[in-house]
Amino acid sequence: MGALKTESRRRLDALNSSIAKMKSSTTEAALSCDQLTKRARQLDSLTSPASDASSLLSKTSNNLGATLVLMKDAREKFDTIRDCEPAIERLHRGVVTLQDIKSGKSKKQRQNPFSEKEADKSVILSEQDVYAAADSMEIIRDAYEYFLDRKHWRSTAQALSSLERVHQMGVSSMCILESFHLIDSGQAVRIKRVVKQEGEEQITPANETAEQTRDRLAAALQNRDLLRSIGEFEEHQPVEARLVRELRGIFECLSGNGFQLVPPHKQEPPGLAHHFGIPANRVVRTEKVGSGVYTNLVQRPLKTGFPHVDAYGESRKTVAFQCVDQYYRRLKAERKRNTEQFAANVVGDPADAASRDAVRCLEHAMVVVAGEKNVYRTIVSPSLTKIIDEDAVNEDISPYYRKACAAAYSHIASAVVDKTMDIIETVFLKEGMIGHASGANKAGEAPPPLTVRQAAAAAAAGLRMLDGVRMLGPSLAKLCDMPIGDGTGEEPQSLAAILCIAIHRTTVKNTARTLENLAKAINEDPVKGSAQRVKDARVALLTIDVVRAVKVISPFESAYKSVSKRRQLPWDPNMGEEAGELDSFIRFLVMRLVNSLKGKALNYTKNTGDIGLARSAMFMMNNTFYLRDELGPKVNVDEEFRIETSWFVDKVNKLFESEKGKYLGQWEALNTHLTSVEHDELEYQKNDTILSLDSGRLIKSRFSGFNEDFERIFEEHKELCVVDPRLRDLLQQEVAGVFLPLYRKFYDKYSKIRFSKKHQNEYTKYSPLKIEELLNRLYIDAE
């Protein structure tokens, strides 16, 4: 027990000793920490200034680096003029060289002999020169934007002015170079290669008939190969590969807003409104006929707000207009040469030849527009594709650029369509003579009225041109269409498309006037006067001309319907689908002819005696037979146009038979002398060999009366003429049938009786055979 206490005591003493020692160590450690803290504070007070200085030095170094980068970038931007101007200046000198070459100036004329500075500056541009200038233009635009953001710099104003000057030089030079390339490339058409079949006459637009033209165009429209089947030329890409690359480079450089340094248009350029949404009623002739221009709407300069687009439009407009103009001049020269060469044997009509050439010009215009569309797609369309690709990321592209390109194409196509419209209306006014009746010569006298032949030729020419316009107009309008694609909804019609509509409208109007002139010429053909009372009562020139008129207009049923649907005609008050067909117009012409013939026939009756009535009847028979023969129902399937409707047959046949009856009535007077002498009235003398004097007088009076009337009628009627041998034979037979059977019976009975002692042969001098011979001489044309 004691031992346990002693051990416990010892352990407590050891624990107290350890605690005392720990306390002493803790006190010493606290003293050491206080000393370390003091020393750390002292060290911190010594190192803090050095750290702040180091931080400031780092910031300064970074600022100096950024300043150097800014100064280097600014130096590069300030050096833009020095770096880019040579390439643009070279482009400018090259353009000046081209201008001198175009104007015919020589190398010596371009130099100044009194100044060494004016050395030979002529430059022949290469493709790389154009690319270098385009790259320089892009660098200039970047530099311009750079300085716009730093307007507070002192040198910014001068830098901006220099950049604007060089950039404008580049834009002007590129536009001029673009014009040179597009004009020098020439026409966008070339002559077709025609393979002529051996032994066959090649039918071309130069010699085909109106029916052949219509059939060819209808087949081409149906098979969708119109551009292959029209005209003597075909579309062609005239710009060679190198020039295409250069032009694309120019358009890529200037497209969108690349032609200017300021922000893009916020409002539509005023010049664009001229090419879209023009009312159709504003398209009227403002220029002189034959001047080459129809309306002044196409003469305004192109101002789209984009100079390179304007240069493209004006250049190709010049080429396209000359293409159509030169073709038309060649056709006119050929037509004039053929007329002079074959003046004695002219085949066809001047109006028909002119209308054929007008349709050929319309076909050529379509090929020209197609060729220009090809040029547009080659040169302009790639820049539009680039804009579409950049639209999503670049808001600085002008939204009116696409519309400007479409306006430039419309500018080109408008010149072609306008020239074609002038050609067509020139034919109407000159060869078609639609203004002839209302005009006056220099002396103030009204011109002579149109003849039926002239009016018919003009009407057929108008219908032929309308046929071409009606068939080709929609396709031409489609070729002239170039979508704007600006996303603004329904797109307005371009000027070119409106002119296509105007071609159809003016052609319909002028064709209607030619038809009215034809009806008027027939209606006003002179009735009175000796010229209208030909002595032999043959077929009137009016009838021949009307028959010809009906035949020349008969192939144009669709063209006539196009007129009647849109114009109210004097003989047809209906319009639209209720308008009459061509047959109604032909009926109107024939009825006007019949009325005129009746008036002319009535003038024959003014002559004294029965011969006036005979001539009147013969005149009507000649004309109605000619009408029936030329226009009556077909006998053979292959015959040309015939009037199959019943009104014509009934009217003409009835009139012919009526006049024939009147004419034959002139010969029935001979039958009054062919009455029988009763047997109990005949007394003979001298053993029944000769009649008594009184009985002989009965027979003598009959023979002498017959002879006198026959001679009189024959002398009068032998002046009448029947050109048609069928009608002549018919009338000779009909006339003989009136009196010859009765005369033959009378002659056979009484010529055997001796009723005159000395002059029997004089009374019986006209035997039935002699009468037949004389009748066979009737109505033969003395010429």
Side-chain angles (χ1 to χ4, degrees), residues 184-313:
D184 291 345
S185 295
Q187 300 177 357
V189 296
R190 63 185 177 188
I191 297 178
K192 288 180 180 179
R193 295 180 179 178
V194 179
V195 180
K196 187 174 181 179
Q197 300 291 337
E198 186 176 356
E200 292 184 6
E201 181 183 0
Q202 186 71 25
I203 298 177
T204 65
N207 57 22
E208 65 186 1
T209 63
E211 294 85 345
Q212 290 170 334
T213 301
R214 185 171 55 252
D215 293 342
R216 172 172 58 82
L217 295 180
L221 288 168
Q222 186 175 2
N223 297 329
R224 297 183 180 180
D225 62 346
L226 183 61
L227 288 175
R228 293 183 180 180
S229 302
I230 63 173
E232 302 162 54
F233 290 73
E234 61 185 1
E235 60 177 296
H236 164 63
Q237 172 54 266
V239 189
E240 62 181 32
R242 176 203 158 183
L243 299 185
V244 168
R245 293 192 296 270
E246 290 187 15
L247 291 170
R248 285 182 176 179
I250 292 173
F251 268 84
E252 184 176 350
C253 175
L254 302 181
S255 62
N257 197 46
F259 69 97
Q260 59 184 359
L261 297 174
V262 298
H265 301 295
K266 297 299 182 182
Q267 296 181 347
E268 180 176 315
L272 288 182
H274 171 67
H275 295 277
F276 298 97
I278 297 178
N281 57 10
R282 286 188 58 188
V283 182
V284 295
R285 175 173 283 282
T286 60
E287 308 304 306
K288 184 179 179 181
V289 176
S291 63
V293 183
Y294 181 86
T295 175
N296 56 12
L297 293 175
V298 301
Q299 291 183 298
R300 299 180 184 178
L302 180 63
K303 294 182 179 180
T304 63
F306 300 85
H308 63 295
V309 177
D310 294 344
Y312 155 76

Side-chain angles (χ1 to χ4, degrees), residues 304-424:
T304 63
F306 300 85
H308 63 295
V309 177
D310 294 344
Y312 155 76
E314 292 290 355
S315 302
R316 292 311 301 178
K317 173 187 175 181
T318 300
V319 175
F321 179 86
Q322 290 178 349
C323 185
V324 179
D325 185 61
Q326 291 172 3
Y327 180 78
Y328 176 58
R329 291 177 184 274
R330 179 172 68 83
L331 294 185
K332 283 182 63 178
E334 289 178 358
R335 191 164 71 244
K336 182 178 180 181
R337 186 166 55 251
N338 292 337
T339 301
E340 293 174 351
Q341 183 177 0
F342 305 105
N345 300 305
V346 175
V347 178
D349 186 273
D352 180 69
S355 66
R356 178 198 62 219
D357 290 347
V359 175
R360 292 169 68 188
C361 287
L362 177 61
E363 295 184 36
H364 188 67
M366 290 190 63
V367 180
V368 172
V369 174
E372 292 302 328
K373 200 164 195 175
N374 193 359
V375 174
Y376 178 91
R377 289 169 175 168
T378 303
I379 304 300
V380 183
S381 292
S383 65
L384 293 174
T385 304
K386 179 177 180 292
I387 287 178
I388 292 175
D389 295 339
E390 294 181 354
D391 269 350
V393 296
N394 187 359
E395 296 181 354
D396 292 335
I397 296 175
S398 173
Y400 303 107
Y401 182 67
R402 299 184 189 87
K403 192 170 185 178
C405 293
Y409 178 76
S410 171
H411 189 65
I412 299 167
S414 297
V416 176
V417 179
D418 181 80
K419 173 63 179 177
T420 307
M421 189 186 303
D422 178 68
I423 292 171
I424 292 175

Side-chain angles (χ1 to χ4, degrees), residues 516-553:
E516 292 170 6
N517 285 344
L518 174 58
K520 183 179 179 182
I522 296 174
N523 196 50
E524 295 183 354
D525 187 79
V527 173
K528 298 181 180 180
S530 58
Q532 305 304 319
R533 296 196 300 273
V534 183
K535 192 175 182 179
D536 58 12
R538 65 176 64 206
V539 177
L541 181 61
L542 174 63
T543 306
I544 298 173
D545 288 345
V546 171
V547 168
R548 180 181 179 276
V550 170
K551 289 183 177 180
V552 295
I553 68 172

Side-chain angles (χ1 to χ4, degrees), residues 701-716:
S701 64
R702 285 167 171 73
F703 270 108
S704 62
F706 175 86
N707 293 343
E708 290 175 3
D709 285 349
F710 177 77
E711 289 173 353
R712 176 183 57 79
I713 294 174
F714 181 81
E715 285 299 320
E716 292 175 346

Side-chain angles (χ1 to χ4, degrees), residues 563-680:
V563 175
S564 63
K565 285 176 63 176
R566 294 165 177 82
R567 305 282 296 187
Q568 193 173 48
L569 301 169
W571 54 88
D572 186 5
N574 298 322
M575 293 178 63
E577 296 301 327
E578 297 180 357
E581 303 290 342
L582 180 60
D583 180 70
S584 64
F585 179 55
I586 292 176
R587 179 173 183 173
F588 178 79
L589 297 183
V590 172
M591 296 308 295
R592 295 284 76 75
L593 169 64
V594 170
N595 291 338
S596 180
L597 292 177
K598 288 180 178 179
K600 291 177 172 59
L602 186 62
N603 281 326
Y604 280 106
T605 61
K606 294 180 180 180
N607 291 349
T608 57
D610 295 336
I611 185 59
L613 296 174
R615 286 175 178 166
S616 175
M618 178 61 74
F619 176 78
M620 292 302 296
M621 278 194 295
N622 269 324
N623 285 275
T624 52
F625 185 87
Y626 180 81
L627 271 178
R628 186 175 64 180
D629 188 56
E630 291 292 325
L631 298 179
K634 294 180 181 179
V635 178
N636 300 319
V637 178
D638 297 334
E639 286 183 331
E640 55 187 4
F641 173 78
R642 296 287 178 154
I643 301 176
E644 301 286 348
T645 47
S646 58
W647 68 264
F648 178 82
V649 178
D650 294 342
K651 180 71 176 178
V652 176
N653 279 350
K654 183 178 180 181
L655 190 56
F656 175 79
E657 295 297 333
S658 173
E659 297 298 331
K660 187 178 71 171
K662 294 177 182 178
Y663 177 75
L664 295 178
Q666 299 287 311
W667 294 91
E668 288 181 354
L670 298 176
N671 290 330
T672 60
H673 303 288
L674 303 179
T675 57
S676 300
V677 179
E678 298 299 332
H679 188 270
D680 56 2

